[in-house]
Amino acid sequence: GETEANVQNLVLGQGDSPLTERGLAVARIAAADNNINGKGLKYWRTYCSDLYRAHRTARIVLGLEMDRHDDRCEEDNLSEVDLIVDARLRELAKGAREGFDKSLTYDEATAARLDRAQNDQSKSEMQMPILESIDDAWDRAQSWIDSLIEEAIADYYSSQILREPGSAEECNSKKSPNSSNTPKIYDVFALSHSALIRTMIHQMVESQLPPDYLRTNEGSLRIPNLSRTIIDVQPYRNNNDGGGGHNRNNDEKIWGIKSKWTASLVELTDVSHLGEKASHVPPYL
């Protein structure tokens, strides 16, 4: 959600800032949509960045926080969603520019930070915030995706009942539409930050982006605040099957420790769930 630093036009990166009343209000609008808040679309996992601004926004959107503006909100009605905080979803670290005006170049921000340190009467040693490359950010984001794939695969095969020929379980499974041959969908909610989301989109589905996608003034993919992007990630087997039969142990060998996957773009930066507020939601760099 919108933060005080956003209003002041400051670079945040992995620094943090409180949400504004506007940021809280837009989060509450998103929380009213059952396809967003997890009430209509049941999530298999829910994640957010470990930075306060993202964690607070996710809690509001998922109904984990009481709303003092809504008299109907009672503690008993709070969501029971298990929100997982994961540092791999935090914003890109932006080095010397963090905490300074967005108009400053990196060199200008570095000089300003050095000047501030020299004028600091406490004479404490200056700590330069780390600067993260796109590759480094993608490495941690990809690690998060890989871990999700591995957990989903493990869950899928652990949920398959080991059936003996002619058993009641086997007969019932043949009658059920949710047999072992039916794909299982694992819907995951993840609330992160614009630069990391942009990085993930480009790395995963850049070739699928429409040519007329919305851009910021700097020419980057525009990520409106609290917009929703949906990417379908599907694992696929390695080629070292070896012709083995279909059983759980063999499947685990085929998938391997690091599963391969493909990604398809389903929805890009949609803000329809924000209603009339959609046109007033700014992109945050």
Side-chain angles (χ1 to χ4, degrees), residues 3-12 97 99-104 218 283-285:
T3 66
E4 293 178 6
N6 294 143
V7 174
Q8 296 167 16
N9 203 43
L10 302 179
V11 175
L12 265 178
R97 295 186 70 221
F100 286 86
D101 194 276
K102 291 179 180 179
S103 63
L104 297 184
E218 292 76 17
Y284 293 130
L285 304 179

Side-chain angles (χ1 to χ4, degrees), residues 6 22 27 32 46-47 62 64 75 87 94 98 104 110 161 170-171 177 228 231 239 246 255:
N6 294 143
R22 179 183 180 180
T46 54
Y47 290 86
L62 294 172
L64 295 170
E75 190 170 355
K94 298 179 180 178
E98 291 190 359
L104 297 184
T110 300
I161 301 173
E170 182 193 34
C171 294
R228 179 175 68 172
I231 297 178
N239 293 324
H246 183 82
W255 287 112

Side-chain angles (χ1 to χ4, degrees), residues 61-96:
V61 171
L62 294 172
L64 295 170
E65 183 172 310
M66 292 184 67
D67 185 356
R68 62 183 176 86
H69 296 273
D70 188 350
D71 294 335
R72 299 168 301 172
C73 185
E74 299 179 359
E75 190 170 355
D76 291 342
N77 294 328
L78 292 180
S79 171
E80 295 182 356
V81 169
D82 181 17
L83 179 61
I84 302 170
V85 177
D86 197 314
R88 291 174 293 184
L89 295 177
R90 61 168 46 190
E91 181 62 295
L92 270 72
K94 298 179 180 178

Side-chain angles (χ1 to χ4, degrees), residues 26-218:
V26 177
R28 295 184 191 110
I29 293 172
D33 190 318
N34 287 345
N35 288 323
I36 300 292
N37 61 26
K39 293 180 181 178
L41 178 64
K42 301 297 183 181
Y43 298 117
W44 175 62
R45 294 275 195 278
T46 54
Y47 290 86
C48 72
S49 158
D50 64 333
L51 298 178
Y52 170 80
R53 62 187 187 272
H55 188 205
R56 177 85 191 277
T57 303
R59 286 182 56 81
I60 294 173
V61 171
L62 294 172
L64 295 170
E65 183 172 310
M66 292 184 67
D67 185 356
R68 62 183 176 86
H69 296 273
D70 188 350
D71 294 335
R72 299 168 301 172
C73 185
E74 299 179 359
E75 190 170 355
D76 291 342
N77 294 328
L78 292 180
S79 171
E80 295 182 356
V81 169
D82 181 17
L83 179 61
I84 302 170
V85 177
D86 197 314
R88 291 174 293 184
L89 295 177
R90 61 168 46 190
E91 181 62 295
L92 270 72
K94 298 179 180 178
R97 295 186 70 221
E98 291 190 359
F100 286 86
D101 194 276
K102 291 179 180 179
S103 63
L104 297 184
T105 66
Y106 196 85
D107 288 343
E108 290 171 340
T110 300
R113 190 175 289 277
L114 290 171
D115 184 62
R116 178 185 292 178
Q118 291 175 355
N119 295 328
D120 184 3
Q121 295 182 355
S122 68
K123 302 300 180 183
S124 58
E125 183 178 354
M126 184 190 72
Q127 296 292 325
M128 182 69 72
I130 64 171
L131 177 63
E132 190 174 26
S133 69
I134 294 295
D135 288 341
D136 287 341
W138 171 238
D139 281 347
R140 59 180 166 86
Q142 187 175 22
S143 169
W144 174 73
I145 297 171
D146 287 343
S147 65
L148 278 179
I149 294 293
E150 292 165 19
E151 290 175 20
I153 290 171
D155 177 84
Y156 179 81
Y157 285 111
S158 66
S159 65
Q160 303 304 306
I161 301 173
L162 297 178
R163 307 175 183 89
E164 296 181 1
S167 66
E169 290 84 357
E170 182 193 34
C171 294
N172 291 334
S173 68
K174 291 180 179 179
K175 298 176 183 178
S176 172
N178 297 320
S179 66
S180 59
N181 293 325
T182 302
K184 185 175 180 180
I185 297 175
Y186 291 83
D187 290 308
V188 176
F189 171 99
L191 195 145
S192 185
H193 308 267
S194 60
L196 186 67
I197 293 171
R198 184 182 299 115
T199 297
M200 295 173 72
I201 290 173
H202 281 298
Q203 292 289 339
M204 298 172 74
V205 294
E206 182 169 26
S207 64
Q208 302 172 39
L209 294 177
D212 58 346
Y213 65 77
L214 296 178
R215 291 172 169 83
T216 64
N217 293 334
E218 292 76 17

